[in-house]
Amino acid sequence: MALQGNLRDFSVSEILQLLGTQKKTGCLLLEKDAERCVVYVHDGRVVSAREPGMKRDDPLVEFLRTIQRFSDEQYRGLIAIHKETGRDLEDLILNGRYMDQEELAGYVERQILDTLLTLAHWEAGTYRFDPAVTWTGARLVRLSAEGALIESARRVDEEKRFRTRFTDPHQLLGVRDLPDPDASLSEEERELFGIIDGQHTVAEVVAAAALTEYEAHEAIHRLMEAEWVEFVGRRDPGAPEPEAARTPVAQGLRFAREAVAVIVGLAIVAGALAGGRWLARPSAAASGPDVFAAAQIRDLRQVLELYRHEHGAYPERLDQLVEDDWITPDRLRITDYRLRYTRDSSGGDYRIDLDRTH
């Protein structure tokens, strides 16, 4: 029997708490005006906050594009395969080798929490829980309903602090001080550090970051609390940007990573001068390819999957991708690395190796 009612009588958090306590399995459908959200639970744990398939407004698609994890080219490729096969987005991502299960599970969890944050602001609308409608895909995450609600409540409180601190989105952000060599930066802080250069506003930094709006505000707030970043002025809406600030949003991540590399480099030098305690620590780059190389390989794998989908086998040589106009020659050149590609005799599998050139 379905459970249904009005959100004016029971809040989303109260409904989810009830489903978690009673270890229910099914789908919670919530609607407000033209908006629609779903939350799937299994034995009282949240396993998804999206509908199966790959709808145009799929919240996981929107999330992955917001954090710049999917390019337009990759998105179009997934849409084409979904139209032909009808398979679920998560299945397409995993079987297409767009990312591994662990990485995808992390994104699914972040998307669920982002959806729950949105729902926490719904004060009106309707809900319907149907135990006959269950999540049929792989359960990549199994979030405790109580834990997810606690995190959602924390984020609601944090949002209030952010609204107070970032009342003016046109304020310019600048670096006040470099992090101490012993300080550890979160991934979100690393994403932001290089975009913050005294030339970009809060709104521009948030838009350029490969993060959700909440994650970006949270990371900026932490950087300001640590006194590494500060407001350095204001640019009126409509005022021309300084030449140095005219940077395409898509290049924000590149700036962030370059800045972090400079910061880490300075920290290593400082550590060496202070007695070399940093020299004993292995760098992240020593354990595998850098972020740029990893991103190029990831994109190349996605093209290979599209090629296999159309031709029934992987190419014998990577040059075939260039000859057939799938990619441009520069996509096969990776700075500081030699790329090696081998395909098995059946064409059903391949191997990519990267050798550092210096």
Side-chain angles (χ1 to χ4, degrees), residues 66-222:
T66 295
I67 65 170
Q68 302 170 26
R69 183 57 180 81
F70 270 175
S71 65
D72 290 341
E73 178 186 58
Q74 294 161 351
Y75 173 66
R76 288 193 295 269
L78 282 170
I79 283 288
I81 298 174
H82 169 72
K83 286 181 178 178
E84 288 187 20
T85 65
R87 288 157 57 190
D88 180 62
L89 170 63
E90 294 174 26
D91 179 40
L92 293 175
I93 290 174
L94 293 177
N95 285 287
R97 298 185 183 179
Y98 286 80
M99 60 186 78
D100 60 29
Q101 182 169 315
E102 182 179 358
E103 183 184 6
L104 178 57
Y107 291 137
V108 170
E109 179 173 334
R110 286 170 63 187
Q111 179 260 310
I112 289 174
L113 293 175
D114 197 54
T115 297
L116 291 180
L117 178 60
T118 298
L119 291 172
H121 296 290
W122 284 24
E123 297 180 350
T126 61
Y127 68 88
R128 175 184 173 85
F129 177 74
D130 191 344
V133 180
T134 59
W135 180 253
T136 55
R139 294 188 288 274
L140 300 181
V141 299
R142 293 170 57 88
L143 301 181
S144 158
E146 181 180 8
L149 290 173
I150 290 174
E151 172 62 15
S152 180
R154 184 192 71 82
R155 292 187 176 201
V156 170
D157 290 338
E158 287 295 299
E159 275 189 326
K160 296 175 183 176
R161 296 176 62 193
F162 302 157
R163 280 196 294 270
T164 300
R165 168 156 265 178
F166 305 118
T167 52
D168 184 356
H170 304 291
Q171 287 182 293
L172 297 169
L173 287 169
V175 175
R176 177 177 179 177
D177 196 9
L178 292 176
D180 185 86
D182 289 328
S184 60
L185 293 174
S186 69
E187 289 186 19
E188 291 83 1
E189 291 163 345
R190 289 175 184 272
E191 294 289 352
L192 288 174
F193 221 107
I195 313 173
I196 298 174
D197 57 2
Q199 303 291 329
H200 291 87
T201 66
V202 173
E204 290 167 343
V205 169
V206 170
L211 302 166
T212 65
E213 182 179 356
Y214 172 84
E215 291 170 340
H217 280 141
E218 184 177 47
I220 296 171
H221 180 76
R222 287 198 304 263

Side-chain angles (χ1 to χ4, degrees), residues 3 13-24 149:
L3 173 70
S13 61
E14 288 173 328
I15 299 167
L16 283 175
Q17 190 171 26
L18 175 65
L19 298 177
T21 301
Q22 297 189 2
K23 300 187 182 301
K24 295 291 187 180
L149 290 173

